[in-house]
Amino acid sequence: MDGMILKGGRVVGITAVNEPKCGLLVGWFALSVQLVLACLALGSLLLKWRLEIPRRSFGVWKFDVAKQSMASLCAHALNLVLASVLSKDGDTQCAWYFLNFVVDCIFGIMIATFLLWTLEYFANRFGWEELKESGFYGSDIGNRTSSSNELNTNINTSEVDDDEYEYEYEHEYSFNINSLMSYSTNSKRKSMLRFWIIQAVSWTAITLMSKLILALPLFLG
């Protein structure tokens, strides 16, 4: 914005006035605000988990948070790009980012939810196990060791008449069960990781797709 220099009621010159600009990635203040927002988002997810009934296991919660964080980080990066592109003079980046954020909260969630429901419908119809239910990773992550301990307890408490045979029996079968449960646990972990990767990629794609659908009218207009 330019300022006028007045002398005796007359304009004798014009000087440039430097107004403060709002930058999304410029300066420590902008970065600090984004860090605070990230902490608030994570804190709200933790509070929601503590208050929910029934409560998910901590392992499932970690998978859910990691999936949401991955999608949110990509959406945040896309918001920054859109704000920079739409702000041709570079002075309205914050305004465009705020507009994108509000539109996401109102319409983006509805579009993403519809796309998720559509994906789950086709997953159940065509038997895509990893995508049938969002947030289900193929097993109860929180109870992986309970069955192993129970089996070992049952074997160790078996009653055999012959003491020497009882020791060999327990030792042999305890070793076999431990090996079997170790293999089973590793197999479950790989299966759950596969479920999470597929769901995380799918949810990230849905989030970005909803943003592009909402951003398209801005570019066309």
Side-chain angles (χ1 to χ4, degrees), residues 102-156:
V102 172
V103 171
D104 282 344
C105 293
I106 299 175
F107 301 105
I109 293 178
M110 292 188 292
I111 296 176
T113 302
F114 172 76
L115 292 176
L116 179 62
W117 286 347
T118 303
L119 179 62
E120 290 183 349
Y121 168 78
F122 284 105
N124 282 278
R125 181 174 181 179
F126 294 105
W128 304 334
E129 294 296 331
E130 295 85 355
L131 298 174
K132 284 185 176 181
E133 182 181 353
S134 179
F136 176 74
Y137 305 106
S139 178
D140 186 358
I141 302 175
N143 295 327
R144 282 201 299 260
T145 59
S146 60
S147 58
S148 175
N149 293 335
E150 183 178 353
L151 284 174
N152 287 333
T153 301
N154 291 338
I155 291 176
N156 291 332

